[in-house]
């Protein structure tokens, strides 16, 4: 009813969650819905935010050792083709791929979606201002990584996010963006003012790539780590002291003269050895560690620690100041 009830609708957001149990997915359960969405025509539509996600009862049991070729494909190409005036697009639907002949690409200002689609968009149009790259929404979502490939150069892009979140928007822990992959990706965007990225090494390992972004004003880095905590009830701020990050950020300041704000988000899990778990034989149980490892895959981190820093620039030289600390943990 939308075309008749809301002919001037300019923003369409649909989040479709499909329950899944231990059976092959019934295509008939959603084909009529997909056909209906594809038949929509809203003449002034400029923004589409569309996602389709499976919601299995047990995420690990669902993924472990299974052939994922049967995952439902959801092709919304018809919907995209009939709306040539789009300027903002968010897409997460297995089976829908951006094609270079789509009419809205020259107008697109912002895009959020998987790397393969971002590559097509960057190759086609030159006015993109905001790009959010997410892991592919197939099985790679469970072990999210980012392709270490350069994209076409985009001097107009000022905001880049290399985002690792699940279908509910929560941070994903098992994300890897190595220093080489990081450097390769951001080399295409020399004029970034805002960067939000996931890393898995100390900030200094990414220094060479970061200092090339001379226009950078706001920097947010999310880092996942497994940390041995002893004793296990230590405050997170002592395990990951802010002074360490201040020293790392200090090394960036001589090159990043526009930098004003830095946020560091640390996601961490407690290794079972730190909880002093021992088996009946008096040693740590390997099977317990394996069970712990798999349990960590689809659970919230034991620690989520956020530091918010400001950069002040008095006459004597730039300094990093801690403004705010925010901690969420499940063990204290």
């Amino acid at each position: 009813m939308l075309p008749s009830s809301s002919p001037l609708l300019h923003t369409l957001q649909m989040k479709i969650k499909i329950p899944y149990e231990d059976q092959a997915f019934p295509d008939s359960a959603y084909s009529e819905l997909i056909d209906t969405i594809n038949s929509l025509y809203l003449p002034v539509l400029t923004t589409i935010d569309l996602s389709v996600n499976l919601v299995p009862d047990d995420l690990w049991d669902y993924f472990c050792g299974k052939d994922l070729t049967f995952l439902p494909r959801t092709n919304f190409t018809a919907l995209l083709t009939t709306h040539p005036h789009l300027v903002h697009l968010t897409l997460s639907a297995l089976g829908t791929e951006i094609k270079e002949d789509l009419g809205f690409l020259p107008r697109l200002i912002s895009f959020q979606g998987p790397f393969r689609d971002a590559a097509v968009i960057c190759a086609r149009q030159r006015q993109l201002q905001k790009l959010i790259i997410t892991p592919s929404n197939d099985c790679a979502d469970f072990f999210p990584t980012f392709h270490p490939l350069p994209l076409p150069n985009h001097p107009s892009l000022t905001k880049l996010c290399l985002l690792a979140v699940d279908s509910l928007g929560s941070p994903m822990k098992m994300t890897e963006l190595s220093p080489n992959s990081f450097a390769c990706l951001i080399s295409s965007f020399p004029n970034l003012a805002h960067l939000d990225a996931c890393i898995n090494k100390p900030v200094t390992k990414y220094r060479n790539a970061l200092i090339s972004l001379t226009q950078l004003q706001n920097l947010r880095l999310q880092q996942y780590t497994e940390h041995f905590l002893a004793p296990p009830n230590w405050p997170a701020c002592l395990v990951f002291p802010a002074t360490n990050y201040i020293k790392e950020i200090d090394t960036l300041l001589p090159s990043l003269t526009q930098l004003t704000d830095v946020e560091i988000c640390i996601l961490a899990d407690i290794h079972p050895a730190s909880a002093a778990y021992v088996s009946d034989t008096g040693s740590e149980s390997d099977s317990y560690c394996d069970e712990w490892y798999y349990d960590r895959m689809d659970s919230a981190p034991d620690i989520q620690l956020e530091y918010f820093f400001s950069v002040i620039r008095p006459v004597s030289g730039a300094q990093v100041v801690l403004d705010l600390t925010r901690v969420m943990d499940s063990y204290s």
Side-chain angles (χ1 to χ4, degrees):
M1 298 300 293
L2 281 176
S4 58
S5 65
S6 307
L8 300 182
L9 192 71
H10 58 78
T11 299
L12 176 66
Q13 182 184 62
M14 302 190 74
K15 306 289 187 181
I16 303 170
K17 296 179 180 179
I18 305 173
Y20 177 80
E21 295 180 355
D22 196 22
Q23 300 292 332
F25 194 86
D27 291 346
S28 59
Y30 69 97
S31 59
E32 184 177 347
L33 174 62
I34 304 309
D35 291 343
T36 301
I37 294 173
N38 273 327
S39 67
L40 289 176
Y41 175 63
L42 301 160
V44 298
L45 194 66
T46 59
T47 301
I48 288 181
D49 182 346
L50 190 58
S51 69
V52 179
N53 293 291
L54 288 180
V55 187
D57 290 338
D58 188 311
L59 188 61
W60 176 250
D61 286 346
Y62 166 69
F63 277 101
C64 184
K66 292 196 175 180
D67 177 9
L68 302 179
T69 58
F70 65 85
L71 286 176
R73 265 57 179 174
T74 309
N75 192 340
F76 290 113
T77 303
L79 175 70
L80 299 179
T81 301
T82 54
H83 292 88
H85 302 295
L86 292 181
V87 293
H88 305 285
L89 176 62
T90 299
L91 184 65
S92 177
L94 187 63
T96 304
E97 295 186 12
I98 300 295
K99 303 297 183 181
E100 61 182 11
D101 58 351
L102 287 172
F104 62 81
L105 289 187
R107 294 183 172 85
L108 205 63
I109 294 176
S110 68
F111 173 73
Q112 175 174 333
F115 183 92
R116 62 173 180 269
D117 293 331
V120 174
I121 290 171
C122 287
R124 172 67 192 273
Q125 71 92 14
R126 314 305 301 170
Q127 303 306 313
L128 200 65
Q129 298 174 9
K130 179 180 178 182
L131 179 62
I132 302 177
I133 301 176
T134 59
S136 172
N137 58 347
D138 53 21
C139 59
D141 261 348
F142 202 50
F143 300 98
T145 58
F146 294 96
H147 297 253
L149 299 173
L151 294 170
N153 189 270
H154 265 269
S156 66
L157 194 80
T158 59
K159 184 169 184 177
L160 174 66
C161 299
L162 302 171
L163 194 64
V165 296
D166 60 21
S167 60
L168 301 177
S170 301
M172 298 182 74
K173 300 181 299 183
M174 298 297 176
T175 297
E176 178 177 347
L177 187 59
S178 69
N180 288 340
S181 299
F182 180 83
C184 198
L185 278 171
I186 69 170
S187 64
S188 301
F189 312 109
N191 294 319
L192 287 180
H194 309 272
L195 175 62
D196 184 343
C198 302
I199 61 176
N200 66 334
K201 298 286 190 302
V203 177
T204 50
K205 297 290 186 181
Y206 301 83
R207 181 180 180 278
N208 289 340
L210 287 171
I211 63 175
S212 70
L213 303 175
T214 56
Q215 304 304 310
L216 198 62
Q217 300 173 16
N218 307 104
L219 174 63
R220 182 182 185 276
L221 296 174
Q222 176 181 297
Q223 181 181 21
Y224 172 72
T225 181
E226 295 174 14
H227 199 85
F228 185 94
L229 303 182
N233 61 348
W234 271 19
C237 295
L238 294 182
V239 180
F240 305 98
T243 52
N244 289 354
Y245 296 95
I246 289 175
K247 291 176 182 177
E248 293 180 333
I249 297 168
D250 274 335
T251 67
L252 305 176
L253 298 186
S255 300
L256 302 184
T257 59
Q258 306 299 314
L259 191 64
T260 59
D261 300 287
V262 180
E263 179 182 347
I264 304 290
C265 178
I266 302 130
L267 307 179
D269 283 328
I270 305 172
H271 191 278
S274 66
Y277 176 87
V278 293
S279 67
D280 294 337
T281 62
S283 61
E284 187 179 337
S285 168
D286 290 339
S287 62
Y288 178 80
C289 289
D290 290 341
E291 182 181 345
W292 169 85
Y293 175 78
Y294 293 126
D295 181 62
R296 304 321 309 153
M297 307 295 266
D298 59 348
S299 62
D302 294 323
I303 299 170
Q304 182 170 335
L305 170 63
E306 294 178 286
Y307 286 127
F308 298 84
F309 302 99
S310 290
V311 179
I312 58 175
R313 301 181 184 275
V315 177
S316 57
Q319 297 178 355
V320 181
V321 177
L322 177 63
D323 289 333
L324 176 66
T325 301
R326 187 159 53 201
V327 183
M328 292 178 285
D329 62 63
S330 59
Y331 69 96
S332 62

